[in-house]
């Protein structure tokens, strides 16, 4: 879903007029986010997460992408968004949205497109400049024409010196994306998920389980989520109507290799009902995912300081993971499409999409099961 982001920035595509187009923003590193992490550092952490996803591309896909990886910046009066498309599976994408009033102390944008500007910039260049300015007290960003007449994002900031601060200027080449193309670069349009659950605060446990599944040679993973139920007062256990929803859910991962099945269950996860119009279903919801892609996502998101992580499960369609940034600064959203049965067969995995049942499952340490 969405549009494939053009990764290259060929010279002839730089020559787009900046007439009637203005952008200036100021970021102040006042430790407003968390643990002394300022605005520049927060953007840096998000860019580092996108870089981890980019580095996880398989070698064949990397060879096809002969041009440097890039991200799209979608700028509006209310939002500063970064869009990255890529991962183990075609169709996966990651977006980060920042609230301009929270990220910037000053923000001005003008364009003939109702004050919207879409830019494409090399990921490596953005990483370099935000690494440089992350410790600066104040960073000013401007859209302008560079010395060669091509569009740039100019960064101005001061770094502390032994005697006095010294002023630094760095430029990031950008491509101004035409309106018609910009309209096609959007997040996937998805229906309301069956489940929204809050993941454990430490994503390390989930990542370790996924790494263990990869180590035995599994390629796909079955994700299953269902409500936990509690016995109602005065009811007899095991009888119809003897339990009620508890407001919690369990999440189970199952992966199968040639000789082994690994299953891991995470119990008592909070159901998130904000934004939902309907209650979760009574029975479990399942979807198959690429194990490689899912491992990439949790490895990348783990490096971001987030207040909470929300997983949205759409049966047989997609898994959407939200990392909610501190102080309502914004979010990082990763979309991972479900793997269909035809895709599994094409990859040499002919197991039924209804479940992985070729090997017996034995509980080990109460959580991880191996058969």
């Amino acid at each position: 879903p969405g549009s494939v982001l053009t990764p290259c920035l060929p010279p002839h595509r730089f020559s787009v007029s900046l007439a009637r187009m203005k952008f200036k923003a100021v970021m102040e590193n006042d430790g407003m986010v968390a643990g002394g992490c300022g605005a520049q550092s927060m953007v840096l952490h998000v860019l580092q997460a996108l870089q981890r996803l980019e580095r996880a591309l398989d070698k064949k896909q990397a060879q096809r992408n002969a041009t440097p990886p890039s991200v799209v910046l979608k700028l509006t009066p209310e939002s500063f968004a970064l869009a990255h498309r890529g991962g183990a599976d075609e169709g996966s994408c990651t977006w980060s949205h920042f609230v301009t009033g929270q990220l910037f102390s000053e923000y001005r944008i003008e364009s003939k497109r109702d004050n919207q500007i879409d830019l494409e910039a090399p990921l490596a260049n953005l990483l370099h400049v935000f690494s440089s300015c992350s410790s600066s007290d104040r960073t000013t960003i401007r859209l302008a024409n560079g010395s060669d007449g091509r569009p740039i994002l100019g960064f101005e900031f001061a770094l502390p010196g032994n005697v006095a601060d010294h002023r630094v200027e760095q430029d990031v080449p950008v491509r101004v994306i035409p309106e018609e193309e910009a309209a096609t670069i959007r997040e996937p349009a998805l229906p309301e998920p069956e489940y929204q659950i809050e993941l454990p605060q430490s994503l390390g446990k989930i990542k370790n389980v996924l790494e263990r599944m990869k180590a035995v040679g599994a390629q796909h993973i079955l994700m299953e989520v269902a409500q936990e139920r509690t016995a109602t007062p005065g009811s007899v256990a095991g009888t119809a109507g003897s339990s009620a929803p508890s407001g919690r859910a369990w999440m189970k991962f199952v992966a199968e290799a040639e000789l082994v099945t690994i299953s891991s269950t995470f119990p008592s996860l909070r159901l998130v009902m904000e934004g939902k119009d309907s209650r979760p279903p009574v029975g479990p919801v399942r979807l198959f995912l690429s194990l490689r892609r899912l491992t990439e996502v949790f490895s990348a998101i783990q490096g971001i300081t987030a207040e909470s992580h929300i997983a949205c499960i759409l049966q047989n369609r997609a898994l959407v993971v939200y990392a909610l940034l501190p102080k309502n600064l914004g979010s990082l959203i990763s979309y991972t499409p479900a793997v269909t049965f035809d895709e599994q067969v094409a990859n040499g995995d002919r197991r039924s999409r209804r479940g992985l049942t070729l090997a017996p499952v034995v509980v080990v340490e109460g959580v991880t099961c191996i058969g």
Side-chain angles (χ1 to χ4, degrees):
S3 168
V4 175
L5 305 184
T6 307
C8 55
L9 299 175
H12 69 277
R13 298 183 69 179
F14 277 109
S15 55
V16 177
S17 173
L18 296 182
R20 299 175 62 184
M21 189 179 298
K22 297 180 181 179
F23 173 74
K24 178 185 176 182
V26 177
M27 311 174 74
E28 295 187 357
N29 200 359
D30 56 1
M32 67 173 183
V33 179
C37 177
Q40 298 97 310
S41 297
M42 203 69 233
V43 176
L44 175 61
H45 292 166
V46 168
L47 290 170
Q48 289 171 337
L50 300 183
Q51 183 187 46
R52 292 187 188 100
L53 290 170
E54 184 67 39
R55 285 178 173 174
L57 291 171
D58 59 65
K59 293 182 179 180
K60 290 183 179 180
Q61 190 170 352
Q63 290 171 357
R64 289 196 299 269
N65 297 339
T67 53
S70 65
V71 295
V72 166
L73 292 79
K74 297 182 79 69
L75 314 177
T76 72
E78 297 80 23
S79 175
F80 178 91
L82 302 172
H84 173 266
R85 186 182 180 86
D89 303 305
E90 185 178 356
S92 302
C93 59
T94 304
W95 288 68
S96 184
H97 297 270
F98 293 93
V99 180
T100 56
Q102 295 289 95
L103 184 66
F104 302 103
S105 59
E106 300 176 25
Y107 190 84
R108 178 188 177 190
I109 182 170
E110 295 180 14
S111 79
K112 60 182 180 180
R113 289 179 48 215
D114 294 327
N115 298 329
Q116 300 179 49
I117 299 175
D118 291 74
L119 308 171
E120 183 182 22
L123 178 56
N125 295 58
L126 287 174
L127 272 167
H128 176 73
V129 70
F130 274 99
S131 296
S132 300
C133 72
S134 62
S135 60
S136 173
D137 290 336
R138 181 183 174 93
T139 300
T140 301
I141 309 172
R142 289 185 178 88
L143 177 63
N145 286 316
S147 57
D148 58 358
R150 299 172 183 172
I152 61 163
L153 277 178
F155 289 74
E156 299 178 10
F157 52 93
L159 294 178
N162 293 330
V163 178
D165 294 350
H166 58 278
R167 185 164 170 255
V168 179
E169 296 183 2
Q170 293 184 10
D171 296 340
V172 174
V174 297
R175 177 174 73 93
V176 179
I177 301 176
E179 182 176 0
E180 297 77 11
E181 181 185 350
T184 67
I185 303 173
R186 58 187 182 272
E187 295 177 78
L190 296 172
E192 180 178 297
E194 284 86 355
Y195 277 97
Q196 296 178 166
I197 57 175
E198 184 173 352
L199 297 173
Q201 186 63 33
S202 173
L203 297 182
K205 295 179 180 179
I206 296 178
K207 178 188 171 186
N208 291 341
V209 169
L210 298 177
E211 292 286 0
R212 185 173 182 179
M213 291 175 170
K214 282 182 61 180
V216 300
Q219 296 184 6
H220 299 99
I221 186 171
L222 172 66
M223 182 178 186
E224 188 173 20
V225 177
Q227 293 189 70
E228 292 180 348
R229 304 185 72 83
T230 57
T232 57
S235 63
V236 179
T239 63
S242 63
S243 63
S246 65
R248 298 274 169 172
W250 53 261
M251 175 180 69
K252 180 162 68 174
F253 292 144
V254 183
E256 187 172 88
E258 185 175 357
L259 299 174
V260 64
T261 295
I262 299 181
S263 172
S264 184
T265 301
F266 297 86
S268 195
L269 302 176
R270 183 176 72 89
L271 285 173
V272 179
M273 297 306 298
E274 289 85 347
K276 277 184 63 64
D277 296 325
S278 57
R279 300 291 303 176
V282 176
V285 169
R286 303 178 180 90
L287 72 161
F288 276 95
L289 299 164
S290 161
L291 178 56
R292 178 186 176 90
R293 168 66 184 181
L294 197 59
T295 306
E296 293 168 7
V297 169
F298 281 105
S299 296
I301 293 180
Q302 187 182 19
I304 296 177
T305 302
E307 289 190 342
S308 61
H309 304 90
I310 308 297
C312 300
I313 299 91
L314 295 89
Q315 179 157 277
N316 296 329
R317 297 193 64 162
L319 170 68
V320 185
V321 179
Y322 288 75
L324 304 182
L325 304 180
K327 301 292 181 67
N328 297 317
L329 187 64
S331 61
L332 180 75
I333 311 170
S334 178
Y335 298 85
T336 302
V339 176
T340 65
F341 178 70
D342 290 340
E343 288 178 284
Q344 294 183 47
V345 172
N347 287 314
D349 186 348
R350 298 179 179 273
R351 288 183 287 274
S352 167
R353 67 183 298 177
R354 294 185 180 275
L356 304 177
T357 58
L358 296 184
V361 179
V362 179
V363 176
V364 176
E365 297 179 353
V367 177
T368 303
C369 308
I370 303 178

